[in-house]
Amino acid sequence: MKELICPKCGNTTHNLYENVCKNCFFKQFKLAELDPVISTQICARCGSKYERGQWTDTKHDTNTVLEKVERELLLHENADIIELGFEPQKLTPYQYIVNVYIQAEIYGMPLEEKLTTEVRVQRSVCDACSRIAAGYYEGIIQLRASNRNPTDEEKKKCDHLVRDTLIRMEKKGDRLAFISNMSSSKEGTDYYIGSSGACRQICKIITSKLGGEHQESPSLFSQRDGKELYRVSYAVRLPKYVPGDVLYFNNQVLQIKNCDKKAKCIDLQTGKKVIASIEDIEKAEFLGVYNDAIRAVLVAIEDNAIMVLDPTNYQTVTLKKPFFLTAREGEEIPVLKTEYGIIPIPEEIKA
């Protein structure tokens, strides 16, 4: 084999490693480099981690410390790593000593090295927590109902949908998916949300689950870096009628069973299911709800008819037998007294 001369030390060698002999190569060679002190940031309020120029929802623990050390570790580009090990020592919740053990091969030669670093965890406040503290919001969801006030049950359902959607969107990376403020009254509830995108998603989910519609109204409120910033008001209108409402529609007495994209009703005389558009059903005449009912004595039951005692004038009235009737003669049943006559309604309302 031809002998070569090392240009650095002048000795002869059979192989050159990066243009120098083996001895010169390993005198200047560094398998890995690691700063003696590494700093990382976490949010003192929510525990989020600051990494690579942005805040993430990954919570701080020993594993995130080791991940930080591994990212800061610089390995020689020609090193074939056989094994990489970490030995953390937690001094305080915000200070760690980490030993790093490296086994590798360089040009077929096995090497081992141990490096030690100190990881200091600095506490600060993330962008989301700063905005929450400042009352920041990009959108307002105004929950209302058409020609009525939302029921307590509707408010409860909507509140659950709002919070559940925000949790899911935060997990997907929307750090502004939070409620900065809310106010409630008999007319409805206003939610001040950090993310406009989260507002839009919430509105879609509420109207898909409970029916109704929503509208967006943007307004300019600031400028940043030459860009105009808008806040958007999202007006959510729940349907005019809710499950349990009794209506007069197309010469039928209907009870609302479900009201989302379509109004699903039942004919209280025949038991037939009726489906109508929200626009059409809102033109119906409202007759009442179960709490508006009065009790009437069931005098007699025939094949397709019943006789009840009018509770206001005590006259006997003959009515078509409703499909849901389970009461016996002599018992009282709930009825609505309307301009269309006395209307029996189910004893129990199932929304």
Side-chain angles (χ1 to χ4, degrees):
M1 182 180 292
K2 182 180 179 181
E3 291 188 340
L4 303 172
I5 299 176
C6 175
K8 188 167 186 176
C9 66
N11 293 329
T12 58
T13 181
H14 293 295
N15 294 298
L16 293 177
Y17 301 89
E18 297 185 9
N19 297 319
V20 295
C21 68
K22 179 179 178 180
N23 289 335
C24 290
F25 174 74
F26 281 104
K27 283 180 182 179
Q28 67 184 15
F29 175 76
K30 287 186 178 182
L31 176 60
E33 294 183 30
L34 186 63
D35 289 338
V37 177
I38 297 174
S39 295
T40 186
Q41 290 187 63
I42 65 168
C43 177
R45 297 187 64 174
C46 70
S48 298
K49 183 180 66 172
Y50 187 76
E51 195 61 58
R52 298 177 183 177
Q54 64 181 4
W55 288 96
T56 69
D57 289 325
T58 305
K59 303 304 179 185
H60 164 72
D61 57 17
T62 301
N63 288 331
T64 61
V65 169
L66 298 183
E67 289 171 3
K68 175 68 174 179
V69 172
E70 187 172 5
R71 280 194 295 270
E72 296 294 321
L73 180 66
L74 298 177
L75 297 167
H76 192 279
E77 62 180 1
N78 293 322
D80 293 325
I81 301 300
I82 297 175
E83 188 174 342
L84 196 63
F86 299 89
E87 182 183 66
Q89 181 184 0
K90 186 177 181 180
L91 304 181
T92 73
Y94 308 108
Q95 184 183 22
Y96 295 76
I97 298 296
V98 180
N99 295 320
V100 183
Y101 300 92
I102 308 166
Q103 292 183 353
E105 285 189 357
I106 297 292
Y107 300 118
M109 291 174 287
L111 293 176
E112 292 186 1
E113 189 166 345
K114 173 188 173 183
L115 299 174
T116 300
T117 187
E118 176 187 350
V119 180
R120 297 174 183 175
V121 182
Q122 300 174 343
R123 302 176 74 199
S124 58
V125 180
C126 71
D127 52 354
C129 288
S130 297
R131 290 177 174 180
I132 292 173
Y136 176 87
Y137 64 94
E138 292 180 358
I140 308 173
I141 297 176
Q142 299 170 316
L143 176 66
R144 301 292 187 270
S146 298
N147 298 324
R148 63 180 179 86
N149 294 328
T151 65
D152 291 340
E153 183 65 22
E154 286 175 320
K155 289 182 181 180
K156 184 177 179 180
K157 287 181 179 179
C158 287
D159 192 74
H160 173 76
L161 292 173
V162 169
R163 298 180 188 278
D164 182 66
T165 304
L166 290 176
I167 290 172
R168 287 189 289 102
M169 295 196 70
E170 183 183 10
K171 288 180 179 179
K172 290 181 179 180
D174 189 345
R175 291 182 51 77
L176 298 182
F178 58 76
I179 300 173
S180 61
N181 193 15
M182 65 174 291
S183 60
S184 185
S185 65
K186 65 179 182 179
E187 289 83 13
T189 306
D190 292 344
Y191 294 91
Y192 295 77
I193 308 294
S195 165
S196 180
C199 286
R200 189 172 292 108
Q201 184 67 15
I202 289 168
C203 292
K204 290 180 180 178
I205 290 175
I206 288 178
T207 52
S208 69
K209 298 289 185 180
L210 301 180
E213 59 183 7
H214 77 274
Q215 295 179 337
E216 302 179 15
S217 300
S219 60
L220 179 66
F221 79 96
S222 182
Q223 286 188 334
R224 183 185 299 157
D225 300 329
K227 295 183 179 180
E228 296 180 337
L229 302 180
Y230 289 85
R231 280 181 175 149
V232 184
S233 295
Y234 297 83
V236 178
R237 293 280 177 182
L238 298 179
K240 182 178 179 180
Y241 298 119
V242 298
D245 286 352
V246 179
L247 314 174
Y248 188 77
F249 179 70
N250 283 349
N251 298 318
Q252 297 170 295
V253 177
L254 305 178
Q255 185 182 64
I256 299 286
K257 307 305 289 184
N258 186 277
C259 200
D260 42 45
K261 294 182 179 180
K262 294 282 187 179
K264 301 176 181 65
C265 315
I266 192 164
D267 188 317
L268 289 183
Q269 289 187 329
T270 66
K272 181 181 177 181
K273 293 181 180 179
V274 177
I275 298 178
S277 68
I278 298 298
E279 294 76 12
D280 286 340
I281 207 68
E282 289 197 349
K283 301 172 185 177
E285 182 180 348
F286 177 72
L287 299 182
V289 295
Y290 180 76
N291 290 338
D292 299 326
I294 54 178
R295 311 298 293 189
V297 176
L298 181 59
V299 177
I301 304 175
E302 299 179 359
D303 291 339
N304 294 312
I306 61 173
M307 298 178 67
V308 300
L309 194 64
D310 188 323
T312 57
N313 58 25
Y314 302 105
Q315 293 182 358
T316 302
V317 180
T318 300
L319 305 172
K320 184 176 180 179
K321 182 181 177 181
F323 77 97
F324 55 81
L325 185 69
T326 59
R328 293 178 292 182
E329 294 177 356
E331 294 181 343
E332 291 185 338
I333 62 172
V335 299
L336 293 174
K337 192 167 184 180
T338 73
E339 63 178 286
Y340 305 104
I342 292 178
I343 299 172
I345 63 174
E347 188 68 47
E348 294 183 359
I349 302 298
K350 296 182 180 180

